[in-house]
Amino acid sequence: MHSYGGLVGSNALHGLYHQETTGGAGGGITHLIYVAAAMFFPNSLMAVPYGDSKPNVSVVDPSHFDFLPDGRVVALHPVEMWIGTEEGDKWEATEEEIAEYVSAITPIATKVASQKTEHAAWMDGKKFQEEGGPQVV
C-alpha cells in the first residue's frame, strides 16, 4: 500500500489475516506492505477538520488549495508545492514532463483526510499479538 492507500487498506483488509485451520490449510493475508504509506491506529484521523470541514493540512497552508463546492479539493499551485521553482528542484524533468504531470492532477475528496479509521489491519493476527507490534524492515 502507498500513501493514503495505507489508511484505506487498513480498513478494508481488517479481519482477513491468515488463520490456521484444523485441516492444516488456512487462507488469508500473511503480510501487509506499507511503502511511504499512512499507518493509523483505529479511530484515528488523517487530519483534523476545520469547522467548515476543510482538512487541517499541517504541512501546507490551506489557502494553497481550492475547496470545491462538491467536497473535493485541488492544489492551486502544484508546481510550487510539489516540485519547486528553482532550477535544481526539477532534477532532470523537462518542462513538457512537468506540464504533463500537472495536467494529470485531479481534485480529491476532502473526506479522505477527515474520515476516522475504523480498523487497523496491521494490528490483526497472531504474529502482531505475539511479537508485540508491527515489524518495521
Side-chain angles (χ1 to χ4, degrees):
M1 292 172 271
H2 171 68
S3 190
Y4 168 70
L7 186 140
V8 176
S10 283
N11 270 322
L13 302 173
H14 169 70
L16 298 178
Y17 60 91
H18 178 74
Q19 299 178 42
E20 298 295 327
T21 60
T22 52
I29 296 170
T30 59
H31 294 79
L32 298 173
I33 299 173
Y34 292 80
V35 178
M39 193 171 175
F40 293 96
F41 288 100
N43 298 311
S44 298
L45 288 172
M46 187 175 226
V48 179
Y50 287 103
D52 60 1
S53 73
K54 293 178 183 175
N56 180 3
V57 182
S58 59
V59 179
V60 184
D61 184 335
S63 68
H64 295 177
F65 296 94
D66 185 9
F67 293 90
L68 306 173
D70 64 0
R72 296 179 304 149
V73 63
V74 67
L76 293 173
H77 310 286
V79 173
E80 291 82 356
M81 289 175 61
W82 297 315
I83 298 171
T85 56
E86 302 295 321
E87 192 58 37
D89 295 338
K90 298 176 184 175
W91 296 82
E92 296 177 7
T94 65
E95 292 299 325
E96 293 79 23
E97 290 170 327
I98 292 171
E100 183 179 348
Y101 165 74
V102 169
S103 72
I105 296 172
T106 59
I108 63 166
T110 56
K111 192 172 187 177
V112 302
S114 60
Q115 185 175 26
K116 276 190 176 183
T117 61
E118 293 179 27
H119 308 286
W122 60 269
M123 295 177 72
D124 287 348
K126 183 176 171 184
K127 185 172 183 175
F128 176 85
Q129 294 163 2
E130 287 176 353
E131 296 180 7
Q135 305 303 305
V136 179
V137 291

